[in-house]
Amino acid sequence: MRYEFTIQVSPEIAAHPDQLKTFIARKNGISIDEIKHIQILKRSIDARQKAIKVNLKLKVYVQEDFIDQPIELPDYPDVTHAPEIVIIGAGPAGLFAALRCIELGCKPIVLERGKDVRSRRRDLKAINRDHIVNEDSNYCFGEGGAGTYSDGKLYTRSKKRGDVQRILELLVGFGATDQILVEAHPHIGTNKLPGIITTIREKIIEKGGEIHFETRVIDFEIKNSEIYGVTLQNGSTIATNKVILATGHSARDIFELLYHKKVVIEAKPFALGVRVEHSQRLIDQIQYKCEVRGPYLPPSPYSLVKQIGGRGMYSFCMCPGGVIAPCATSPGEVVTNGWSPSKRDQPTSNSGIVVELRNEDFKEFSKYGPLSGMYFQKSIEQLAWQIGGETQKVPAQRLVDMVEGKLSKDLPVTSYTPGVTSADMGAVFPKFIHHTLQEGFKAFDKSMRGYLTNDAVVHAPESRTSSPVRIPRDLKTLEHLQIKGLYPCGEGAGYAGGIISAAIDGEKCAQACVETIKFKTV
C-alpha cells in the first residue's frame, strides 16, 4: 500500500532516512519493518519560528516494494528532411523551442550569435581578468543564454504548474539531478548547467536539427508584412517563412533593427538598481535566528518586497553562497549579475535590489520612441562605466554609507573579480531611484534586523532584470501582430522572466508555429 503524508520535522530528521522512517512509523502507527521505501515528493524550509522546520510531502510504501521509474525523454523522431523552422537564439527559449519542433516533426535551425558553452568560458575569463568585453560571447550571449553562467535558478511564479513540471522533467532527462523535482526553489548551479545544455544540443543535432554558433542575424527579409528570410553577418541569407525570435533581454541590436524596419515594438516597464553583497554567515544568522547554521540547513536565501513612496523595491535573483559577475554586452558599459555554484558554498551571498520603473520614467529619452527604456538603461550602464574608471570595475559603496549619503573611505574585497571603485550611488542613479534605494534599505532592515550593515557592499548597476522592450504578438497564434511568420519569444520579447518561463514560452511558440505548417502526406 502507498500512503501520502505531509509532515513537518526538524532539519536533522529530514536529513537522515532512518530517523525519518522512525518518525513516520511512530506518528502513524505503522511498524517500521513494514515501511519499504519513503519517496520525498516536495521539500521546503519553514524558518519563520526560532525552531526551524522542514516541510515534507511524502509517499510512503508500506508492505510494497518501490520500483524506481526514471524519467525518460520523449521519443524524438529524425527530422533531417522535415519542414524547417529558423530559431534565433540558443537560450532556454530557443533550445526548448527546438526540442519541441523536433518532437512535433519539424526541423529546427538554431542561429546563435555566441559560442558553445565550453568556448564561452574563455570570453568570461577575459571580461573578469582583462576587462575585455566580447559583444557576441559573454554572460548574456552564447549557448544556453544568460542563465547558463548566471546561476541556473529554476523557480518561477508561473501558474502553469503542468508546464513547469514538464520542463523540470525534461531537464532531469537531460542530466539534471532529480532533486529539482522536489525542492520548493530548485536550482542547478552554474557549474552543472553547461553539461546539461551540451546534452540538449547533442540531442538536437542527433535528431537532424542544426545549431550554428557565431552566427549573428543582422537583417530580416520582409515582404507584404510576411517574413521571407534572415540575413547573417557573413552576408549569406537563409530563406524561411517561419522564424522564432528568442534573442534574450540584451539583444539591443535586434530591437534597433526591428525599430528601423518599422516593425511594431513597445517600450516595456522593467526594474533597475544595485547588487548588494553580504557575508553568507550574516544572512544565515538573520534568517535562521542562530549563531551557526549547522550541517542540516542549506545556505539561506532571502526575499524582500517593499513599497517606497508608491514604487516597488524588491530583491531579485538572490544568490546564497554565490558571487557577483560582470555582465556587460558591449564595451563602454558595466553591468552586474550574480550566480551560485550547485553547492552554494561561497562565503558571500548577493542579491539584485531593484526599483520598479514605469514608461513615464523614460521621458528624457522619448525621442527613441519604443526604445526609450533601453536607452535609459544604457545611459546608466555607461555612466557607471565612467564613474568606475572606464574598465569593468564597478562603482561601489558600503551599504550604510549609501543610505546616509556618505562616500566610503575604503571598500573590502568583494566577490566581483574585476574590482570595485568607491563612488557615491547618487552620482550613478537618477534622484528618484537613489532615494527609493536609500529608504528601501531602511525598510528592509526592519524585516531583516542586521541587514543594514556597513560590512555589506553595494555594486552598481543591476540593470538587466528583464527586457525594456516588448515585441507584441497575437494572443492566440503567437505571431507578431504585424509580421506573419515571426514569433516573438521568451525574455527578449517580453514574455518570460527566467529559465523555466522562457523554456515554457519556447515550447508554446514552437507548438503554435508547427500548427501552421502543412505536412505532406505519403
Side-chain angles (χ1 to χ4, degrees), residues 235-340:
S236 63
T237 299
I238 298 176
T240 179
N241 62 357
K242 302 292 179 187
V243 173
I244 296 175
L245 185 62
T247 48
H249 59 43
S250 292
R252 290 171 171 168
D253 56 327
I254 293 295
F255 299 147
E256 294 271 14
L257 173 62
L258 294 172
Y259 179 55
H260 289 301
K261 292 185 77 70
K262 296 182 169 38
V263 174
V264 175
I265 58 175
E266 303 167 349
K268 183 180 78 63
F270 62 106
L272 181 148
V274 297
R275 187 154 283 267
V276 61
E277 181 170 273
H278 290 80
S279 76
Q280 183 60 50
R281 182 176 179 179
L282 175 64
I283 298 301
D284 290 340
Q285 288 172 341
I286 295 172
Q287 294 294 82
Y288 292 143
K289 305 171 185 67
C290 60
E291 187 64 28
V292 179
R293 182 177 79 234
Y296 305 117
L297 289 170
S300 177
Y302 64 82
S303 178
L304 293 166
V305 181
K306 298 293 179 182
Q307 284 290 317
I308 308 298
R311 194 182 289 270
M313 174 173 155
Y314 57 92
S315 56
F316 170 82
C317 185
M318 195 275 153
C319 301
V323 301
I324 301 177
C327 293
T329 53
S330 294
E333 65 185 28
V334 290
V335 180
T336 65
N337 202 339
W339 62 267
S340 301

Side-chain angles (χ1 to χ4, degrees), residues 16 141 208 425 429 437:
H16 291 94
F141 298 146
M425 291 297 144
F429 297 105
L437 288 168

Side-chain angles (χ1 to χ4, degrees), residues 104 138 180 308 374 390 457:
L104 297 173
N138 44 63
I180 66 173
I308 308 298
M374 186 185 85
E390 300 189 350
V457 180

Side-chain angles (χ1 to χ4, degrees), residues 469-485:
V469 172
R470 177 173 284 110
I471 307 174
R473 68 190 188 191
D474 184 271
L475 292 175
K476 185 176 181 181
T477 68
L478 304 188
E479 281 184 304
H480 186 272
L481 292 178
Q482 175 191 11
I483 309 299
K484 186 178 180 182

Side-chain angles (χ1 to χ4, degrees), residues 33-51:
D33 295 330
E34 292 179 342
I35 298 177
K36 301 299 183 182
H37 182 76
I38 299 171
Q39 182 182 10
I40 299 176
L41 303 177
K42 288 294 176 184
R43 175 171 45 226
S44 64
I45 294 173
D46 185 347
R48 291 174 294 178
Q49 305 300 323
K50 188 168 184 179

Side-chain angles (χ1 to χ4, degrees), residues 278-447:
H278 290 80
S279 76
Q280 183 60 50
R281 182 176 179 179
L282 175 64
I283 298 301
D284 290 340
Q285 288 172 341
I286 295 172
Q287 294 294 82
Y288 292 143
K289 305 171 185 67
C290 60
E291 187 64 28
V292 179
R293 182 177 79 234
Y296 305 117
L297 289 170
S300 177
Y302 64 82
S303 178
L304 293 166
V305 181
K306 298 293 179 182
Q307 284 290 317
I308 308 298
R311 194 182 289 270
M313 174 173 155
Y314 57 92
S315 56
F316 170 82
C317 185
M318 195 275 153
C319 301
V323 301
I324 301 177
C327 293
T329 53
S330 294
E333 65 185 28
V334 290
V335 180
T336 65
N337 202 339
W339 62 267
S340 301
S342 58
K343 293 183 179 180
R344 291 180 161 170
D345 54 1
Q346 299 301 301
T348 52
S349 72
N350 66 80
S351 180
I353 305 296
V354 295
V355 174
E356 171 193 18
L357 302 180
R358 304 159 187 152
N359 285 344
E360 55 263 34
D361 295 325
F362 314 141
K363 287 186 292 186
E364 184 182 346
F365 300 89
S366 60
K367 67 180 181 180
Y368 298 106
L371 301 180
S372 59
M374 186 185 85
Y375 275 89
F376 175 89
Q377 180 189 59
K378 184 189 290 189
S379 71
I380 290 177
E381 295 169 359
Q382 291 174 337
L383 178 59
W385 177 76
Q386 293 169 358
I387 293 172
E390 300 189 350
T391 67
Q392 283 302 299
K393 286 186 176 182
V394 295
Q397 195 170 9
R398 289 181 182 267
L399 183 54
V400 174
D401 289 344
M402 180 201 164
V403 169
E404 296 179 351
K406 299 177 182 177
L407 185 68
S408 298
K409 295 179 181 179
D410 58 21
L411 292 170
V413 175
T414 75
S415 66
Y416 183 79
T417 304
V420 295
T421 300
S422 181
D424 180 358
M425 291 297 144
V428 178
F429 297 105
K431 186 175 181 179
F432 77 94
I433 294 179
H434 184 232
H435 177 71
T436 302
L437 288 168
Q438 288 178 309
E439 295 304 311
F441 279 123
K442 295 177 188 177
F444 280 9
D445 193 61
K446 292 178 181 178
S447 296

Side-chain angles (χ1 to χ4, degrees), residues 43-304:
R43 175 171 45 226
S44 64
I45 294 173
D46 185 347
R48 291 174 294 178
Q49 305 300 323
K50 188 168 184 179
I52 298 167
K53 298 294 183 180
V54 178
N55 299 317
L56 295 174
K57 183 179 180 181
L58 308 168
K59 184 177 287 186
V60 180
Y61 290 73
V62 178
Q63 294 182 320
E64 179 181 341
D65 290 331
F66 170 73
I67 301 174
D68 189 21
Q69 296 179 324
I71 289 173
E72 295 183 358
L73 292 172
D75 185 16
Y76 295 111
D78 188 293
V79 294
T80 303
H81 304 294
E84 296 176 350
I85 295 174
V86 169
I87 300 170
I88 305 175
L95 290 175
F96 278 83
L99 289 171
R100 188 65 176 148
C101 284
I102 294 172
E103 193 175 354
L104 297 173
C106 283
K107 176 179 179 176
I109 300 176
V110 182
L111 310 177
E112 169 55 52
R113 68 190 296 165
K115 300 177 183 178
D116 65 84
V117 285
R118 184 175 295 276
S119 299
R120 281 178 76 181
R121 290 174 181 162
R122 290 191 290 270
D123 298 308
L124 301 186
K125 184 177 181 180
I127 192 173
N128 275 287
R129 186 187 64 187
D130 304 319
H131 303 248
I132 297 172
V133 180
N134 183 325
E135 292 186 276
D136 288 320
S137 179
N138 44 63
Y139 277 96
C140 290
F141 298 146
E143 186 180 21
T148 303
Y149 287 107
S150 57
D151 206 50
K153 286 184 181 65
L154 302 177
Y155 176 64
T156 177
R157 291 181 174 88
S158 171
K159 295 180 180 179
K160 298 179 176 64
R161 300 306 301 174
D163 290 336
V164 172
Q165 187 70 11
R166 171 181 162 83
I167 299 302
L168 293 175
E169 288 180 358
L170 283 172
L171 286 167
V172 172
F174 282 108
T177 171
D178 59 7
Q179 291 305 295
I180 66 173
L181 303 173
V182 173
E183 300 295 342
H185 293 81
H187 168 258
I188 291 178
T190 296
N191 56 323
K192 300 287 187 180
L193 196 53
I196 296 165
I197 297 298
T198 298
T199 305
I200 291 174
R201 177 224 308 160
E202 290 170 347
K203 177 62 70 174
I204 291 170
I205 294 172
E206 174 195 334
K207 294 302 178 180
E210 298 179 16
I211 299 184
H212 301 273
F213 296 112
E214 299 182 76
T215 304
R216 191 202 293 195
V217 172
I218 62 168
D219 202 0
F220 300 108
E221 185 177 349
I222 299 171
K223 297 179 184 177
N224 300 320
S225 297
E226 185 172 354
I227 196 89
Y228 275 86
V230 296
T231 301
L232 309 180
Q233 192 174 29
N234 63 10
S236 63
T237 299
I238 298 176
T240 179
N241 62 357
K242 302 292 179 187
V243 173
I244 296 175
L245 185 62
T247 48
H249 59 43
S250 292
R252 290 171 171 168
D253 56 327
I254 293 295
F255 299 147
E256 294 271 14
L257 173 62
L258 294 172
Y259 179 55
H260 289 301
K261 292 185 77 70
K262 296 182 169 38
V263 174
V264 175
I265 58 175
E266 303 167 349
K268 183 180 78 63
F270 62 106
L272 181 148
V274 297
R275 187 154 283 267
V276 61
E277 181 170 273
H278 290 80
S279 76
Q280 183 60 50
R281 182 176 179 179
L282 175 64
I283 298 301
D284 290 340
Q285 288 172 341
I286 295 172
Q287 294 294 82
Y288 292 143
K289 305 171 185 67
C290 60
E291 187 64 28
V292 179
R293 182 177 79 234
Y296 305 117
L297 289 170
S300 177
Y302 64 82
S303 178
L304 293 166

